[in-house]
Amino acid sequence: MSNPSRALVLFSGGQDSSVCLAWALARYDHVETVGFDYGQRHSVELVQREILRAGFVEKFPAWAGRLGTDHILEMHGFGAIGETALTETRAFEMGEKGLPNTYVPGRNLVFLTYAAALADRRGLESLVGGMCETDFSGYPDCRRESLDALEIALNLGMAQTFRIETPLMWLTKAETWGLAQSLGGPDLVNLILEDSHTCYRGLRGDRHPWGHGCGDCPACDLRARGYSEWIAAGSPDVAP
Ligand code: ZN
């Protein structure tokens, strides 16, 4: 049986998954990371995730010994099915059902299923992801209800006792910064500001108060608004 103090974090190199990695390092004895190369238009997030992992080791000695292997799973076939703004050179637009065309149908379900297969092999019990309902983009595979159903299916289908942990599920983007601060103080906030990547256009761009990015895509906009709300509120801590 797998060990309950061992976790696998779905780590894209974005703001949310970086906070999830910190959350897991504070909680579990052993933490591995997995990233998905599904033919993104930009590989910058795959580069930033390595920089972030190195930053965690350098700036947080208490966590360094807990951070284990990094895995990259190639999923170009799935990216080809998606055919959305993340994988093709289309402009951002709202599609049918009111979902932005950055939506890849079922992406989180597929990622978690791959992650569970990997976790089974690696003896990891908790699957940690940054899925969130609060700043709701309309992605049905981010809903906790969807993930509860998937958790049951994975445990039945793999004869396992996985838990899908979603520490950001009920937090706003502003509160996510507060969680980062309570987990790792200003060093963690600064690491995530400087090195996490969110921009849909794959641009590092200028260093804005909220980090790097083009500054006007939906992802940059969400990140910028969350950060300014958190600062305006007096940068409160948010307990894990
Ligand atoms: Zn952007």
Side-chain angles (χ1 to χ4, degrees):
M1 288 299 289
S2 49
N3 181 333
S5 70
R6 292 166 58 87
L8 179 63
V9 177
L10 279 67
F11 182 56
S12 70
Q15 175 193 344
D16 289 345
S17 68
S18 298
V19 179
C20 285
L21 178 54
W23 181 88
L25 288 167
R27 173 171 298 237
Y28 299 103
D29 295 331
H30 179 79
V31 178
E32 300 189 7
T33 52
V34 61
F36 300 97
D37 178 0
Y38 55 97
Q40 294 97 318
R41 285 192 293 178
H42 320 293
S43 61
V44 58
E45 58 193 57
L46 296 178
V47 172
Q48 290 306 120
R49 62 195 298 288
E50 291 182 24
I51 294 171
L52 282 159
R53 277 179 48 100
F56 273 100
V57 169
E58 181 194 333
K59 296 194 165 77
F60 301 95
W63 292 348
R66 299 179 172 192
L67 183 59
T69 308
D70 184 35
H71 310 268
I72 296 282
L73 300 182
E74 187 275 307
M75 297 176 66
H76 286 201
F78 181 66
I81 293 171
E83 289 189 0
T84 73
L86 285 180
T87 50
E88 298 213 320
T89 52
R90 273 195 261 165
F92 307 107
E93 58 192 32
M94 296 303 285
E96 294 172 27
K97 304 178 192 171
L99 297 171
N101 70 342
T102 48
Y103 169 66
V104 183
R107 182 173 63 174
N108 286 303
L109 306 181
V110 173
F111 284 1
L112 280 162
T113 302
Y114 270 68
L118 177 63
D120 181 286
R121 284 284 186 267
R122 301 287 302 172
L124 309 167
E125 180 159 279
S126 288
L127 308 173
V128 183
M131 288 69 91
C132 173
E133 279 196 33
T134 310
D135 286 316
F136 190 49
S137 304
Y139 302 145
D141 60 341
C142 288
R143 293 176 187 150
R144 189 61 231 188
E145 186 179 19
S146 301
L147 303 180
D148 285 341
L150 181 64
E151 184 178 270
I152 291 169
L154 292 173
N155 285 331
L156 288 171
M158 298 187 191
Q160 268 286 0
T161 53
F162 295 127
R163 289 185 312 280
I164 298 176
E165 302 278 5
T166 52
L168 311 185
M169 181 57 73
W170 311 112
L171 300 184
T172 64
K173 280 285 174 282
E175 289 169 333
T176 299
W177 288 110
L179 176 59
Q181 182 168 263
S182 74
L183 288 165
D187 282 350
L188 182 59
V189 171
N190 287 332
L191 177 67
I192 292 171
L193 276 174
E194 191 60 43
D195 291 325
S196 71
H197 181 82
T198 306
C199 179
Y200 281 150
R201 292 199 169 91
L203 297 175
R204 295 296 289 155
D206 295 333
R207 172 60 158 83
H208 309 275
W210 44 268
H212 292 275
C214 75
D216 63 9
C217 74
C220 282
D221 184 53
L222 191 62
R223 175 164 166 155
R225 275 189 290 127
Y227 185 72
S228 63
E229 282 170 24
W230 182 60
I231 295 297
S235 310
D237 275 2
V238 171

